[in-house]
Amino acid sequence: MTEAVGEVAVTTKEGLHARPVMRFVDVASTFGSTISVCNITLGGESLDGKSAMEMMLLEATQNCVIRISAKGDDANEAVAALTSLVESGMENPASSPSGDPPTASAS
Amino acid sequence: METLRGISVSPGVAIGEAVILDAEDYRIPYRSVPSDAVGDELERLSNAFDTAVSEVQAQTQQLRSNLGRDAADVFDWHVGVLEDEQLRKSIEDLIKEKQASAAYATSTVMRNYQRRFMQMKDPLLAERIKDVRDIERRLLRNILGETREDLAHLTKAVILIAHDLTPTQTAQLSGTKVVGVAMDAGAATSHTAILLRSWGHPGVVGLNDVSTRISGGDTIIVDGTNQLVIANPTEETLAEYREKQIAHGRLTEELSELRDLPAVTTDDERVYLMSNIEFPSEAQTGMDRGSDGVGLYRTEFLFLRPESAPDEEEQYEAYSQAIQGVAGHPVTIRTFDLGADKYTQRQNYIEERNPMLGLRSIRYSLQNLDMFKVQLRAILRASVHGQVRLMFPLVSSIMEFRQAQMTVNDALEDLEEEGIKITNPIPIGMMLETPAAAIQVKDFCREVDFISIGTNDLVQYLLAVDRGNERVSQHYTPSHPAVLRCLRDVVRACRRAGVECGICGEMAGQPLYTMFLMGLGLQHLSMAPGNIPEIKKLIRLTSLAKSERVARRVMTFETARQVTNYLRDETRKVLPEDPI
């Protein structure tokens, strides 16, 4: 059993809102390890990284630093994937549907 | 048979089967289940989750194209929560450990989460509490086996029973098979009531507990004329009401014959009967009922739809349709009366301690100038299609009126720069609905082109009575002598200043007050299109001289009850066979 920990700052402007939360949970759920996430900036409790409900309660707004911990055989890979996902502004991984830029309407 | 008494919002008789709209809050009592039933409860829970997931997925699929990405993302999160194993496990644990019912366990766990959302600091994230409630309700509905009644797909005539309807829900009633409405909350002048009236079917509100007393499938009579709701009537009562339904139809037919006749008193005083409308198509409806144009177009109803806020083109289309609907007659467009009980999609709901005294109407528009300007541009552009007048709601100071007027000038200049020239100057007026404006009416007369008295708000502000609070709404009456004296002074000041003064509150559509209002000297009465035939009938049967005597006599009374009794007697003399 491996344990891994990583810390990362949330850079996206809207923080971990509906879509980023779902992306995080989707990626986290591909790993067998248990994953817990804690918002260090707010000093909050550890929350389940695979739970859509709990990850919304993480209240990870812009500039918050979050700690991602994993326990299990693929713990290292999980932490690496999730920290890079958050670092990249949640637009990773490539498998996710590409977001269209909001279309500006001229009026 | 059970008879309940409430407040009528529109007359007539409707008979049908009851459909109960979901109560806002399920209150789930703790219920333990025998240990051998735990398995059943777990299965029930699992089915509820599965159904909920497919419901949300179907809904999202359907809405994705209309709602845009952000809204669809939120529904994706709903699916995420419904598939959240940790969440499901904590509900299952509660069922297993406490032998709780599936409904109780679900409610308990979901409410714990709601409490945690309430403690969040980020307002946008904390907003998600509404979604958690939504998910809770969906699960409970599935567990309790109450399928959501989808009003658009009804196959037979029904009576809708609800605790309360939002204006949005009410606006969606047209085009359904709902033929009558009965609800717990509400007063005769709430916006929901106004919408129910324009919808045209019988409705009784303020019934307190009708939604818990009546069960789905009961036979219900809504008697909008006598403010009654009758559940499970006897054969005899039912037959009696079927008769009444036919009689009401005959009266409506008789009144429609007045359509093409002018509203003129027996001594040749011409009164202009205008329509209050919420939707552009109603301009035409009003003309069909025999109106002289639109006296109040409540434009904020453009916001009452589930999608997005209306853009300039959509507004231009709506205003143009209303203007063309009256074929050359005047249309008075009131700028958005948002805030208080009417919210926009764009505006995040901010709890106000006193929304009726809060950021609403013209105040809201002046704090959201971009939105306001878009509306003014659309109105000005549409104004080339007919006789358009512009009116600002809830003006309470001269500066406010001037600021709004300046915004109109800005919009005019912008349009001109773009090569769109509005040649006809558009008359600009105000709704007089605050005591401040009434007291300062002389000063306003120097600034405005016309005044329209909005009695719904004026009465509630003068009497300090919340018209939507059923516990005090009995104190809300236009018959209060203070209201009548205020109206007299306003009309008098306008006449001296040579400013046209009309009235567009609910009071204008009540036959009880018609003679009094005419007697004060009001010649422009604006009301729901449905009220026009009866008011016209009354005007054509009475004289201005008589009305002036009535108005003078009314001014001598000290209590609302005396006023109402006197006016009822006088009106009955003119319309003996109509229910006043």
Side-chain angles (χ1 to χ4, degrees), chain A residues 65-88:
Chain A
V65 176
I66 60 173
R67 177 185 293 147
I68 302 167
S69 324
K71 259 187 218 164
D73 292 339
D74 49 9
N76 286 319
E77 293 85 342
V79 170
L82 291 168
T83 44
S84 82
L85 174 68
V86 176
E87 248 162 24
S88 73

mmCIF file of all heavy atoms in Angstrom, chain A residues 65-88:
data_model
loop_
_atom_site.group_PDB
_atom_site.id
_atom_site.type_symbol
_atom_site.label_atom_id
_atom_site.label_comp_id
_atom_site.label_asym_id
_atom_site.label_seq_id
_atom_site.Cartn_x
_atom_site.Cartn_y
_atom_site.Cartn_z
ATOM 1 N N VAL A 65 -5.185 26.872 -1.628
ATOM 2 C CA VAL A 65 -4.267 25.736 -1.809
ATOM 3 C C VAL A 65 -4.959 24.492 -1.264
ATOM 4 O O VAL A 65 -5.502 24.510 -0.161
ATOM 5 C CB VAL A 65 -2.941 25.982 -1.059
ATOM 6 C CG1 VAL A 65 -2.034 24.758 -1.167
ATOM 7 C CG2 VAL A 65 -2.260 27.223 -1.612
ATOM 8 N N ILE A 66 -4.964 23.435 -2.067
ATOM 9 C CA ILE A 66 -5.603 22.206 -1.598
ATOM 10 C C ILE A 66 -4.558 21.084 -1.495
ATOM 11 O O ILE A 66 -3.574 21.067 -2.249
ATOM 12 C CB ILE A 66 -6.776 21.769 -2.523
ATOM 13 C CG1 ILE A 66 -6.295 21.509 -3.950
ATOM 14 C CG2 ILE A 66 -7.871 22.812 -2.514
ATOM 15 C CD1 ILE A 66 -7.395 20.910 -4.832
ATOM 16 N N ARG A 67 -4.779 20.202 -0.525
ATOM 17 C CA ARG A 67 -3.869 19.064 -0.357
ATOM 18 C C ARG A 67 -4.613 17.801 -0.804
ATOM 19 O O ARG A 67 -5.712 17.532 -0.331
ATOM 20 C CB ARG A 67 -3.442 18.938 1.100
ATOM 21 C CG ARG A 67 -2.539 17.699 1.338
ATOM 22 C CD ARG A 67 -2.219 17.507 2.787
ATOM 23 N NE ARG A 67 -1.383 18.602 3.278
ATOM 24 C CZ ARG A 67 -1.449 19.079 4.517
ATOM 25 N NH1 ARG A 67 -2.297 18.577 5.373
ATOM 26 N NH2 ARG A 67 -0.670 20.072 4.892
ATOM 27 N N ILE A 68 -3.974 17.098 -1.724
ATOM 28 C CA ILE A 68 -4.580 15.870 -2.239
ATOM 29 C C ILE A 68 -3.782 14.680 -1.689
ATOM 30 O O ILE A 68 -2.568 14.599 -1.894
ATOM 31 C CB ILE A 68 -4.534 15.844 -3.783
ATOM 32 C CG1 ILE A 68 -5.258 17.084 -4.342
ATOM 33 C CG2 ILE A 68 -5.169 14.570 -4.325
ATOM 34 C CD1 ILE A 68 -5.012 17.321 -5.818
ATOM 35 N N SER A 69 -4.456 13.796 -0.943
ATOM 36 C CA SER A 69 -3.764 12.620 -0.414
ATOM 37 C C SER A 69 -4.402 11.368 -0.983
ATOM 38 O O SER A 69 -5.622 11.299 -1.135
ATOM 39 C CB SER A 69 -3.890 12.546 1.118
ATOM 40 O OG SER A 69 -3.860 13.840 1.679
ATOM 41 N N ALA A 70 -3.553 10.384 -1.292
ATOM 42 C CA ALA A 70 -4.080 9.120 -1.835
ATOM 43 C C ALA A 70 -3.455 7.954 -1.088
ATOM 44 O O ALA A 70 -2.303 8.018 -0.644
ATOM 45 C CB ALA A 70 -3.779 9.038 -3.325
ATOM 46 N N LYS A 71 -4.246 6.880 -0.960
ATOM 47 C CA LYS A 71 -3.761 5.649 -0.315
ATOM 48 C C LYS A 71 -4.183 4.502 -1.196
ATOM 49 O O LYS A 71 -5.371 4.341 -1.475
ATOM 50 C CB LYS A 71 -4.446 5.469 1.054
ATOM 51 C CG LYS A 71 -3.599 5.868 2.227
ATOM 52 C CD LYS A 71 -4.299 5.480 3.520
ATOM 53 C CE LYS A 71 -4.059 6.558 4.573
ATOM 54 N NZ LYS A 71 -4.986 6.444 5.700
ATOM 55 N N GLY A 72 -3.176 3.707 -1.618
ATOM 56 C CA GLY A 72 -3.529 2.552 -2.462
ATOM 57 C C GLY A 72 -2.420 2.280 -3.444
ATOM 58 O O GLY A 72 -1.405 2.987 -3.483
ATOM 59 N N ASP A 73 -2.621 1.266 -4.254
ATOM 60 C CA ASP A 73 -1.560 0.831 -5.162
ATOM 61 C C ASP A 73 -1.182 1.917 -6.168
ATOM 62 O O ASP A 73 -0.034 2.070 -6.538
ATOM 63 C CB ASP A 73 -1.991 -0.444 -5.905
ATOM 64 C CG ASP A 73 -2.080 -1.612 -4.933
ATOM 65 O OD1 ASP A 73 -1.443 -1.521 -3.857
ATOM 66 O OD2 ASP A 73 -2.800 -2.586 -5.238
ATOM 67 N N ASP A 74 -2.183 2.662 -6.646
ATOM 68 C CA ASP A 74 -1.880 3.678 -7.656
ATOM 69 C C ASP A 74 -1.875 5.091 -7.064
ATOM 70 O O ASP A 74 -2.188 6.064 -7.735
ATOM 71 C CB ASP A 74 -2.864 3.586 -8.838
ATOM 72 C CG ASP A 74 -4.310 3.534 -8.372
ATOM 73 O OD1 ASP A 74 -4.559 3.746 -7.155
ATOM 74 O OD2 ASP A 74 -5.198 3.292 -9.213
ATOM 75 N N ALA A 75 -1.496 5.180 -5.777
ATOM 76 C CA ALA A 75 -1.547 6.471 -5.074
ATOM 77 C C ALA A 75 -0.687 7.535 -5.754
ATOM 78 O O ALA A 75 -1.121 8.673 -5.946
ATOM 79 C CB ALA A 75 -1.124 6.296 -3.624
ATOM 80 N N ASN A 76 0.522 7.176 -6.157
ATOM 81 C CA ASN A 76 1.411 8.162 -6.774
ATOM 82 C C ASN A 76 0.829 8.706 -8.068
ATOM 83 O O ASN A 76 0.821 9.912 -8.308
ATOM 84 C CB ASN A 76 2.783 7.537 -7.050
ATOM 85 C CG ASN A 76 3.570 7.375 -5.755
ATOM 86 O OD1 ASN A 76 3.549 8.269 -4.904
ATOM 87 N ND2 ASN A 76 4.214 6.239 -5.602
ATOM 88 N N GLU A 77 0.338 7.780 -8.882
ATOM 89 C CA GLU A 77 -0.240 8.183 -10.171
ATOM 90 C C GLU A 77 -1.460 9.079 -9.936
ATOM 91 O O GLU A 77 -1.651 10.092 -10.630
ATOM 92 C CB GLU A 77 -0.667 6.956 -10.992
ATOM 93 C CG GLU A 77 0.470 6.079 -11.460
ATOM 94 C CD GLU A 77 0.898 5.042 -10.417
ATOM 95 O OE1 GLU A 77 0.566 5.208 -9.217
ATOM 96 O OE2 GLU A 77 1.578 4.075 -10.791
ATOM 97 N N ALA A 78 -2.268 8.723 -8.963
ATOM 98 C CA ALA A 78 -3.491 9.493 -8.682
ATOM 99 C C ALA A 78 -3.145 10.928 -8.306
ATOM 100 O O ALA A 78 -3.701 11.889 -8.861
ATOM 101 C CB ALA A 78 -4.291 8.829 -7.581
ATOM 102 N N VAL A 79 -2.208 11.075 -7.367
ATOM 103 C CA VAL A 79 -1.853 12.425 -6.917
ATOM 104 C C VAL A 79 -1.248 13.219 -8.074
ATOM 105 O O VAL A 79 -1.570 14.395 -8.277
ATOM 106 C CB VAL A 79 -0.892 12.360 -5.711
ATOM 107 C CG1 VAL A 79 -0.315 13.741 -5.399
ATOM 108 C CG2 VAL A 79 -1.620 11.815 -4.488
ATOM 109 N N ALA A 80 -0.395 12.569 -8.853
ATOM 110 C CA ALA A 80 0.219 13.261 -9.981
ATOM 111 C C ALA A 80 -0.843 13.733 -10.971
ATOM 112 O O ALA A 80 -0.846 14.891 -11.417
ATOM 113 C CB ALA A 80 1.215 12.334 -10.688
ATOM 114 N N ALA A 81 -1.782 12.857 -11.308
ATOM 115 C CA ALA A 81 -2.810 13.215 -12.294
ATOM 116 C C ALA A 81 -3.696 14.347 -11.787
ATOM 117 O O ALA A 81 -4.011 15.290 -12.518
ATOM 118 C CB ALA A 81 -3.666 11.989 -12.621
ATOM 119 N N LEU A 82 -4.063 14.244 -10.507
ATOM 120 C CA LEU A 82 -5.001 15.242 -9.970
ATOM 121 C C LEU A 82 -4.336 16.600 -9.765
ATOM 122 O O LEU A 82 -4.947 17.636 -10.047
ATOM 123 C CB LEU A 82 -5.633 14.733 -8.664
ATOM 124 C CG LEU A 82 -6.589 13.544 -8.866
ATOM 125 C CD1 LEU A 82 -6.944 12.907 -7.533
ATOM 126 C CD2 LEU A 82 -7.860 14.003 -9.591
ATOM 127 N N THR A 83 -3.092 16.606 -9.289
ATOM 128 C CA THR A 83 -2.439 17.912 -9.122
ATOM 129 C C THR A 83 -2.225 18.572 -10.480
ATOM 130 O O THR A 83 -2.430 19.776 -10.627
ATOM 131 C CB THR A 83 -1.074 17.804 -8.390
ATOM 132 O OG1 THR A 83 -0.367 16.704 -8.926
ATOM 133 C CG2 THR A 83 -1.239 17.647 -6.905
ATOM 134 N N SER A 84 -1.858 17.781 -11.479
ATOM 135 C CA SER A 84 -1.633 18.415 -12.782
ATOM 136 C C SER A 84 -2.958 18.871 -13.391
ATOM 137 O O SER A 84 -3.014 19.879 -14.103
ATOM 138 C CB SER A 84 -0.865 17.480 -13.731
ATOM 139 O OG SER A 84 -1.755 16.573 -14.325
ATOM 140 N N LEU A 85 -4.030 18.153 -13.082
ATOM 141 C CA LEU A 85 -5.353 18.592 -13.551
ATOM 142 C C LEU A 85 -5.702 19.968 -12.971
ATOM 143 O O LEU A 85 -6.124 20.882 -13.689
ATOM 144 C CB LEU A 85 -6.419 17.566 -13.125
ATOM 145 C CG LEU A 85 -7.875 17.930 -13.410
ATOM 146 C CD1 LEU A 85 -8.165 17.941 -14.906
ATOM 147 C CD2 LEU A 85 -8.826 16.965 -12.712
ATOM 148 N N VAL A 86 -5.495 20.123 -11.670
ATOM 149 C CA VAL A 86 -5.821 21.400 -11.023
ATOM 150 C C VAL A 86 -4.881 22.495 -11.529
ATOM 151 O O VAL A 86 -5.306 23.607 -11.840
ATOM 152 C CB VAL A 86 -5.739 21.287 -9.485
ATOM 153 C CG1 VAL A 86 -5.994 22.637 -8.825
ATOM 154 C CG2 VAL A 86 -6.751 20.263 -8.979
ATOM 155 N N GLU A 87 -3.578 22.149 -11.646
ATOM 156 C CA GLU A 87 -2.587 23.111 -12.118
ATOM 157 C C GLU A 87 -2.922 23.643 -13.508
ATOM 158 O O GLU A 87 -2.761 24.823 -13.805
ATOM 159 C CB GLU A 87 -1.204 22.444 -12.178
ATOM 160 C CG GLU A 87 -0.230 22.994 -11.169
ATOM 161 C CD GLU A 87 0.942 22.022 -10.969
ATOM 162 O OE1 GLU A 87 1.204 21.219 -11.885
ATOM 163 O OE2 GLU A 87 1.550 22.084 -9.889
ATOM 164 N N SER A 88 -3.400 22.737 -14.338
ATOM 165 C CA SER A 88 -3.651 23.105 -15.745
ATOM 166 C C SER A 88 -4.927 23.928 -15.905
ATOM 167 O O SER A 88 -5.327 24.236 -17.016
ATOM 168 C CB SER A 88 -3.773 21.847 -16.582
ATOM 169 O OG SER A 88 -5.002 21.229 -16.287
#
